[in-house]
Amino acid sequence: MWKSVQRAGRATTHLFLTALTAFGTWIFITVLLITAVGTLTLVGIWLLPETVLLVRRIAGAKRNLTADWTGVKIPEVYRPLTGTVRERVATAVRDTGTRRDLRWMVAYWFYGALLALAVPLWPVGLVVDGVWCGLLRRKAVVLPLIVRLADLEADWSTALLKPSPEALLTARVERLARTRADAIAAHGAELRRIERDLHDGAQAQLVALSMRIGLAKRAYGRDPETALKLLDEAQEQAEKALAELRNVVRGIHPPILTDRGLAGALRALAARWGSPRSSEAESGGGLQVALDDGGLDQGVRAPAAVEAAAYFVVAEALTNVAKYSGVTRAEVRLVRARRGLRVRVRDEGRGGAGGTSQAFGSGGETAGSGLPGMRRRVAALDGTMNVSSPVGGPTVIEVELPCVW
């Protein structure tokens, strides 16, 4: 009985907020009439795009209210209202999303008052269900009707507010076009980075190596000790050049990722961070990484592009933890989802990003945190990336990469 009362109370709250929103749309009729008259007389045609923006906000609030009840987010697909007044009016008239919102609003003027049906059910339900459940030990029959009313209202709102398949397809094509452009730009930036690393790193080391070998050859006949010393230096220079080349290769595609798979590569990465002698540990002051690979080393592997993107996301995220978080421990978790791969990196550091599109730690997305590059890698594979980092922590990066297992 108590559970039925709780569910009915939550449903009544939802219906009350629904009725409150419906009352606001009834008042909004005045704005619609003023806009219609102004548009027909051409005197107030500039009001049309502004009114459309208000309709979008009202519909957006209703989408959020429905999502809170159903747990399923309703997507928004609108054409942006930008440009001159004429262009904005043309966009507002042609936008299918706005027409669907207006259709919903007209229907909402009627079914938004379902609260009137729910309120009389409460005294009846408390009496009938109290006897039915308390004395006869049966399931409640009246109070669940209030929950069904809330479900019915949410189903109608979802059906009326969700974008059309054509609008969703158009939005997806536009998103893919943007991510393709970002991927091309990221590819060009990556090539320039590799060229710069080779020129400033390995090439410079090899030039110095060649010079030392030449000097050793000249000094060999008259001063063998000096020649031997130069050869020792040349050997050290060769080792540095090899290290530079390994770093460049690892930045392109880590060989260990091909050999051991994503789980093995991340275990090696975590071990390098935990080693006090590693370059990563020295740059970040040491970082202990708790890795849950989700059993990815068993069964079918993800596509190479997905593994590479996940590896670089984790590597960049751990670098940010070491630089900005102020802690020496991070958690990495991999999950083999039904339609893709999920990656989660968490630390209990200082946080301070303030939103999913903000900086990691205190560095900012444009201050060398690496988040823009991570987003481009994920978006190029049609994946999603969310960053949560309130002030005081924790900071959580969640990435989902679609793939077929």
Side-chain angles (χ1 to χ4, degrees), residues 175-192:
R175 182 174 182 271
L176 290 176
R178 290 194 300 269
T179 56
R180 180 177 180 272
D182 290 341
I184 293 174
H187 179 67
E190 189 72 8
L191 289 178
R192 290 190 295 272

Side-chain angles (χ1 to χ4, degrees), residues 250 254-273 289 291-298 301-302 307 310-311 314 332 334 336 341:
R250 197 161 56 202
I256 192 174
L257 193 59
T258 303
D259 299 336
R260 301 187 189 178
L262 180 60
L266 290 182
R267 279 195 293 267
L269 181 64
R272 284 204 306 272
W273 274 107
V289 180
L291 174 64
D292 179 2
D293 58 25
L296 288 183
D297 52 355
Q298 302 174 358
R301 289 177 54 176
E307 287 190 341
Y311 179 86
V314 174
V332 178
L334 306 178
R336 187 198 299 263
L341 173 65

Side-chain angles (χ1 to χ4, degrees), residues 182-198 247-254 308 312 316 370 373-374 376-377:
D182 290 341
I184 293 174
H187 179 67
E190 189 72 8
L191 289 178
R192 290 190 295 272
R193 182 192 66 80
I194 294 171
E195 180 183 7
R196 183 175 62 253
D197 290 345
L198 289 174
N247 289 332
V248 173
V249 171
R250 197 161 56 202
I252 300 173
H253 188 87
F312 283 112
E316 191 64 45
M374 294 163 64
R376 283 193 296 266
R377 283 185 181 274

Side-chain angles (χ1 to χ4, degrees), residues 297-366:
D297 52 355
Q298 302 174 358
V300 181
R301 289 177 54 176
V306 173
E307 287 190 341
Y311 179 86
F312 283 112
V313 164
V314 174
E316 191 64 45
L318 293 179
T319 301
N320 286 335
V321 172
K323 286 183 178 180
Y324 304 125
S325 68
V327 297
T328 58
R329 179 178 173 82
E331 299 175 2
V332 178
R333 184 183 182 190
L334 306 178
V335 177
R336 187 198 299 263
R338 186 167 63 92
R339 295 185 178 180
L341 173 65
R342 294 175 185 168
V343 182
R344 187 172 185 265
V345 183
R346 175 189 174 96
D347 74 87
E348 300 292 337
R350 62 175 61 94
T356 59
S357 62
Q358 298 299 318
F360 186 100
S362 59
E365 284 209 17
T366 58

Side-chain angles (χ1 to χ4, degrees), residues 119-302:
V119 172
L121 293 176
W122 268 102
V124 177
L126 291 175
V127 174
V128 174
D129 290 339
V131 175
W132 191 253
C133 298
L135 298 179
L136 302 179
R137 302 296 181 182
R138 303 290 182 87
K139 293 183 179 180
V141 293
V142 178
L143 291 178
L145 295 177
I146 302 176
V147 180
R148 292 180 184 178
L149 285 175
D151 290 337
L152 181 64
E153 188 280 329
D155 291 341
W156 285 348
S157 297
T158 301
L160 292 170
L161 287 173
K162 68 180 181 180
S164 63
E166 294 79 6
L168 289 173
L169 179 60
T170 301
R172 179 170 175 79
V173 170
E174 292 176 352
R175 182 174 182 271
L176 290 176
R178 290 194 300 269
T179 56
R180 180 177 180 272
D182 290 341
I184 293 174
H187 179 67
E190 189 72 8
L191 289 178
R192 290 190 295 272
R193 182 192 66 80
I194 294 171
E195 180 183 7
R196 183 175 62 253
D197 290 345
L198 289 174
H199 181 272
D200 298 341
Q203 180 176 323
Q205 299 287 353
L206 291 174
V207 169
L209 171 62
S210 177
M211 292 178 61
R212 281 184 170 81
I213 292 176
L215 292 174
K217 288 174 63 178
R218 292 183 182 182
Y220 181 75
R222 64 178 184 275
D223 193 352
E225 293 183 0
T226 302
L228 183 60
K229 182 179 179 181
L230 290 172
L231 287 175
D232 291 337
E233 294 177 355
Q235 183 178 7
E236 294 178 1
Q237 204 74 41
E239 293 175 354
K240 291 181 181 179
L242 287 174
E244 291 286 347
L245 288 174
R246 289 194 194 97
N247 289 332
V248 173
V249 171
R250 197 161 56 202
I252 300 173
H253 188 87
I256 192 174
L257 193 59
T258 303
D259 299 336
R260 301 187 189 178
L262 180 60
L266 290 182
R267 279 195 293 267
L269 181 64
R272 284 204 306 272
W273 274 107
S275 173
R277 293 175 294 178
S278 69
S279 59
E280 289 92 343
E282 291 172 0
S283 62
L287 182 67
Q288 298 298 319
V289 180
L291 174 64
D292 179 2
D293 58 25
L296 288 183
D297 52 355
Q298 302 174 358
V300 181
R301 289 177 54 176

